Amino acid sequence: MFSRSKSSTPITSAIRKVSKDKLYVSEPPPEWFGNSANPRNDPTWTNGNWLKSRFHFSFAEYGDGPQQFGVLRVQNDDLVQPKRMFGTHPHSNMEIITYVVEGDLTHKDSRGNEETLGPGSIQFMSAGTGIRHSEGNPNEKPLRFIQSWITPRRMNLTPNYGSARGEVCSRRDQWTRVAADWEDKTADDEKIAVRIHQDCNVWATETTKELDFELAQGRQAYLLCVDGAVDISSQDEAKSLERHDAAELYGPLKLHFTPKTDNAHMLMFEMASSPGRSGRPDAE
């Protein structure tokens, strides 16, 4: 499924833009995941194929891309049309985080978990020794979600599942930590429901105001512009991101975010620096 690791790219800039034009776009046949043929004329569909997925890293049929960014191994931006699902399939030894952007995501797994989550909700699955699940969109409106896979610090953990329902007010005009490390005691104090087995924090915001974020020495982050547009600046560097663009960020940085639209929606994975496991060759 995955190609061999490539040597890392020398980092010469602390803010490196990953343009949406550099992402691999996958539109697999519906039968691959147990779906019927795409309808010819359905007014509820916004795309001709049941799934349109943007891969940030090598995944499935895309084997020639970057392998990872630190412990972030997969990030797929998925658009699923109404009444379509990913049929039951297995996972193991990955921490899987799914962030719902629009629509409703339905999940069912081999451990008896079953639920539907709406926009802003976040779901995690520690696949560990193995778990089988299905997920998708049984409703009448399109579903968009961001699914990210994080390499755990230990293999063969006991599988686990959990979620937190999102509210816009909790992340409006501020950076809100929506997922954290099980070993991070400050996350206990903040009562963060989504916990993973890795030193990686997930932050989200939907902002109309300028925001700041300090990325410490020895830390790096992968930022996705989910919707809208935003300018990012720090010291003498600046980049502009639009919907589907991403950025690699390398600390220490005092970052300043300026929305360029009515609402800038961003998702950021912040983690320990990983020399030799970071840097896209096509980042700018």
Side-chain angles (χ1 to χ4, degrees):
M1 178 179 288
F2 304 133
S3 64
R4 295 179 181 177
S5 299
K6 300 177 176 65
S7 58
S8 61
T9 301
I11 306 304
T12 58
S13 174
I15 304 175
R16 305 179 73 235
K17 178 178 177 179
V18 180
S19 171
K20 57 182 175 292
D21 298 334
K22 304 293 178 63
L23 304 179
Y24 181 87
V25 177
S26 175
E27 296 198 45
E31 61 270 19
W32 283 12
F33 291 89
N35 291 293
S36 58
N38 298 322
R40 292 187 177 182
N41 294 294
D42 188 329
T44 66
W45 282 42
T46 58
N47 187 60
N49 193 49
W50 75 281
L51 172 66
K52 183 173 184 177
S53 185
R54 290 174 169 85
F55 297 164
H56 287 252
F57 307 101
S58 291
F59 185 81
E61 76 272 23
Y62 176 46
D64 297 328
Q67 290 297 299
Q68 62 207 74
F69 180 81
V71 295
L72 181 60
R73 174 60 191 85
V74 167
Q75 186 162 103
N76 296 346
D77 188 340
D78 289 348
L79 177 65
V80 183
Q81 297 306 308
K83 304 293 185 181
R84 293 297 184 267
M85 304 287 290
F86 294 87
T88 303
H89 56 281
H91 290 289
S92 62
N93 288 322
M94 276 289 169
E95 305 293 289
I96 300 173
I97 292 178
T98 304
Y99 180 82
V100 183
V101 180
E102 60 185 42
D104 295 307
L105 172 70
T106 293
H107 164 96
K108 183 177 182 180
D109 66 45
S110 55
R111 295 180 63 84
N113 300 297
E114 185 173 358
E115 66 177 339
T116 298
L117 298 168
S121 297
I122 187 166
Q123 170 201 86
F124 79 93
M125 191 165 60
S126 292
T129 55
I131 192 168
R132 295 177 62 82
H133 82 131
S134 61
E135 60 191 337
N137 179 15
N139 301 310
E140 300 289 348
K141 296 181 180 179
L143 161 70
R144 182 184 172 205
F145 62 88
I146 313 299
Q147 186 166 101
S148 304
W149 297 10
I150 295 164
T151 305
R153 62 166 56 87
R154 290 184 294 276
M155 299 291 105
N156 299 318
L157 296 163
T158 299
N160 191 24
Y161 174 86
S163 63
R165 297 182 183 275
E167 297 180 3
V168 173
C169 61
S170 67
R171 58 186 181 277
R172 172 63 68 196
D173 298 331
Q174 63 181 348
W175 283 106
T176 300
R177 186 159 60 151
V178 296
D181 185 359
W182 274 110
E183 298 184 5
D184 184 347
K185 299 306 179 184
T186 66
D188 294 338
D189 298 335
E190 295 176 33
K191 295 181 171 57
I192 297 173
V194 175
R195 308 291 289 274
I196 60 173
H197 295 278
Q198 185 53 268
D199 177 10
C200 181
N201 297 300
V202 183
W203 303 81
T205 184
E206 292 190 51
T207 186
T208 59
K209 299 179 180 179
E210 297 184 21
L211 296 178
D212 294 315
F213 188 95
E214 186 164 354
L215 188 62
Q217 176 76 39
R219 306 294 288 180
Q220 64 185 42
Y222 197 80
L223 174 76
L224 175 65
C225 183
V226 177
D227 271 317
V230 64
D231 287 346
I232 312 170
S233 60
S234 180
Q235 289 87 33
D236 57 350
E237 290 192 69
K239 293 289 191 302
S240 295
L241 303 185
E242 298 179 348
R243 174 182 164 104
H244 297 306
D245 289 337
E248 300 173 352
L249 308 171
Y250 299 90
L253 281 175
K254 292 184 177 180
L255 294 157
H256 186 72
F257 298 86
T258 304
K260 305 304 290 183
T261 51
D262 290 340
N263 183 52
H265 190 175
M266 294 175 281
L267 190 65
M268 179 164 58
F269 288 71
E270 176 249 324
M271 66 201 76
S273 296
S274 300
R277 292 198 297 169
S278 300
R280 288 180 63 110
D282 55 0
E284 304 165 353

